[in-house]
Structures are given as structure tokens and as C-alpha cells.
Amino acid sequence: MNQNHEKKITVTRTIEAPADAVFEVLTNPKRHREFDGSGFVRSEDQGDRITATGQVFTMNMEGDHMGGEYKTDNHVTGYVKDKLVAWQTAPAGTEPKGWEWVWELEPNGQRETQVSLTYDWSKVTDKELLQKISFPLVPEADLQESLQLLSSVV
């Protein structure tokens, strides 16, 4: 199931694993490269397991849109154990500019979880940034790939 709105893309997939196992992977920044369908994530730079809103974790990234290697600070904006984890991303050392990654988990029995991944850039208001970056920076196919990869690593 996919939804693509003007400033938001949501993809959904049923994963054959209990919600707590999926959540365990999603909340460990050291594992984010394993399920990154965009190919931008290189490794976790610093940060602990995500356990609450307000936390910040830093990732080593690479992409042509930023001229090669760079780092991002990811500000946790949503956390409900085994149900939801979300963060807004910003270039390291800066405040978030408005785009957000939201992972929602819905148990489907004891062995399956419906996982929805939303890439939302509706809060981006910086006109200069909107001219520099063509949103969506990560296309729907890459989000689908993230769910496929997550399914294989859980």
C-alpha cells in the first residue's frame, strides 16, 4: 500500500516479525545502514539506542546532493515503544529544517507487523533550501526498498 501526497510519501508493508523485534532494529542507529534504501547512510557516528523524544543521534552520510560525505543530526520527534519512532534530520550542527521520517508499527498477530514509513517534507519552509534540494530527495522506490531491507534484517 502506498500513498504519495504533494509533500509526503507513505509506504506500507507487512513484515514477518513481531513488532518488538522490528522496533529493536529501528531504534538502534548502528543498524540504520542495513535498511537504508536510499544508499545515503554510511554509519552511525554517535548516539545511543532511541528511547525517548528529544534525543539526537548523528549519522555519517554520503550523497551527491551534499557534494559527497556529510553528517546529519537526527532529532527524535516521536517515540511510542513498539509502535512509533520518528525523527527530523538536519545537517550536523544545525536545527532541523522540516523534513521528517516516521516509522509506525501495527502488530498483525504475534508473528507479523504492518510497518508504515512516511517521508514528510511538508514543514520545510526555507525557500533557499527548497530551491537547492528537489523534494522528495528520496523517491518512493527507495522507501519501498527500505521496507524490503528491514524485512530481510529483522
Side-chain angles (χ1 to χ4, degrees), residues 31-44:
R31 299 203 62 190
H32 284 194
R33 181 175 183 180
E34 296 175 50
F35 59 87
D36 170 39
S38 73
F40 295 148
V41 176
R42 292 295 171 244
S43 64
E44 177 262 349

Side-chain angles (χ1 to χ4, degrees), residues 5-6 22-23 30-31 46 50 57 69 75 81 91 93 105-106:
H5 300 292
E6 190 174 320
V22 176
F23 196 74
K30 289 177 177 35
R31 299 203 62 190
Q46 77 73 26
I50 299 167
F57 61 95
E69 294 182 7
H75 300 253
K81 186 166 175 38
L105 310 179
E106 186 64 43

